[in-house]
Amino acid sequence: MRFAALCLLLFPAFFASAQPVKTIISLSPHTTEMAYAAGLGDKLIAASDYSDYPEAAKSLERVANYRGIKMERIVALQPDLILAWEGGNPTREMTRLEQLGFKVFYSNPKSLEDIAATLEQLGQFANTPEQAQHNAQDFRQRLDKLRLAHKEKQPVSYFYQLSTSPIITVAGDNWPSQVFSLCGGQNIFANSTVAYPQVSQEQVIIRQPEVIFGTSHAAADPSVWNNWREQLPAVEKQHIFTVTSDWLNRPTPRTIKAAEEVCQYLDQVRESDL
């Protein structure tokens, strides 16, 4: 509760006027999912492409995609609140919507804790905040459990294959590195100067990851790495795992499922090395 109170203090102007709203538009899949988790699902009237969770989101009108947003349609719908992905939705169009008087809530969680905090912030717009508070509390409890269980475990080096052709990974603290770090994973490309660098198989081999992770959308195909079985510990020991992409890549309450999945795989690797 103290953490939630601090969040409200950090955003006094926005949340001082926060009150239940009647209509909401979401401009990214993760903000759509967050809205439902915060008890705002019945207020959503439109969303972005790929807003596919929960099931009810699939029937919403589409007003945004990777190319941009449908300004005229959004203006015509006159939503009370717009949920946007900070850094993901086009800045020029978002600024224009604000100039037209639309209230915009920006979401871009940088840490796992930010997911729970964002839920509570969104709950300010619900008729009652109980659902948001409950889901935020559940998320924090499961997160604390994982953190406590893995804080002293042996680090495991990993490579996360975000895409196959070209091979792209993640560096530094960029999402979803936080999920792997929670479980004691050490990113072999953590020090890259590019947030999402394109890498080669040779660069991966030089760094000798103990584990290779892929997702259901961009699977780490064992056949891609089989030629390097003798050079790569992860391939030799069959430590190539697929994680559910929407759980991992979208910063939402389901991220905790990705964390539990990743922690389980890393524990499996540790046990096999005993």
Side-chain angles (χ1 to χ4, degrees):
M1 293 299 293
R2 285 181 295 177
F3 182 79
L6 177 61
C7 290
L8 296 180
L9 288 173
L10 291 173
F11 304 97
F14 191 92
F15 290 103
S17 61
Q19 55 185 340
V21 298
K22 293 182 178 180
T23 57
I24 299 174
I25 286 177
S26 170
L27 300 181
S28 77
H30 96 263
T31 53
T32 301
E33 188 171 332
M34 291 288 276
Y36 278 99
L40 300 172
D42 60 338
K43 301 175 185 295
L44 282 167
I45 57 172
S48 68
D49 283 0
Y50 301 106
S51 290
D52 54 10
Y53 186 87
E55 188 68 23
K58 295 180 180 180
S59 63
L60 293 170
E61 179 181 345
R62 294 333 198 196
V63 293
N65 54 40
Y66 71 93
R67 292 187 296 271
I69 62 178
K70 300 178 182 178
M71 284 287 295
E72 292 184 3
R73 183 55 183 159
I74 293 171
V75 172
L77 288 170
Q78 288 290 301
D80 297 322
L81 180 66
I82 297 173
L83 308 182
W85 174 19
E86 185 177 11
N89 293 125
T91 302
R92 181 179 178 180
E93 284 84 348
M94 297 313 304
T95 300
R96 181 58 180 153
L97 286 170
E98 292 184 72
Q99 292 172 341
L100 291 171
F102 290 101
K103 181 181 291 187
V104 180
F105 178 96
Y106 289 98
S107 172
N108 186 23
K110 299 291 188 180
S111 69
L112 293 167
E113 291 80 1
D114 285 347
I115 293 174
T118 301
L119 276 177
E120 290 170 333
Q121 292 161 16
L122 285 172
Q124 304 295 311
F125 301 106
N127 294 332
T128 57
E130 284 80 8
Q131 181 176 335
Q133 292 171 352
H134 171 78
N135 287 335
Q137 182 181 22
D138 177 70
F139 185 91
R140 289 195 182 106
Q141 288 175 344
R142 293 166 71 178
L143 181 62
D144 288 343
K145 181 179 179 181
L146 288 174
R147 181 173 286 119
L148 180 63
H150 293 84
K151 67 177 183 178
E152 295 182 358
K153 290 194 174 182
Q154 180 71 24
V156 178
S157 65
Y158 74 90
F159 168 61
Y160 174 45
Q161 186 173 331
L162 186 59
S163 69
T164 302
S165 183
I167 300 175
I168 295 176
T169 188
V170 61
D173 293 328
N174 298 287
W175 197 271
S177 296
Q178 298 85 343
V179 175
F180 298 101
S181 297
L182 172 70
C183 307
Q186 288 190 335
N187 186 355
I188 62 172
F189 288 101
N191 296 326
S192 175
T193 57
V194 179
Y196 297 94
Q198 180 177 331
V199 300
S200 66
Q201 288 183 324
E202 289 75 13
Q203 288 174 302
V204 175
I205 293 166
I206 290 171
R207 288 164 174 79
Q208 292 286 285
E210 299 172 79
V211 182
I212 295 176
F213 284 106
T215 70
S216 48
H217 286 175
D221 186 352
S223 64
V224 173
W225 301 100
N226 277 343
N227 290 337
W228 309 101
R229 179 179 298 275
E230 295 182 2
Q231 289 84 11
L232 272 173
V235 181
E236 181 183 5
K237 297 181 180 180
Q238 298 184 355
H239 292 162
I240 300 179
F241 303 114
T242 299
V243 183
T244 305
S245 55
D246 288 349
W247 295 358
L248 182 63
N249 293 329
R250 296 180 185 176
T252 72
R254 289 195 296 167
T255 297
I256 200 66
K257 294 185 176 182
E260 291 167 345
E261 197 171 31
V262 168
C263 287
Q264 181 180 9
Y265 284 137
L266 292 181
D267 284 343
Q268 181 179 326
V269 171
R270 292 185 182 100
E271 291 172 5
S272 69
D273 291 338
L274 294 178

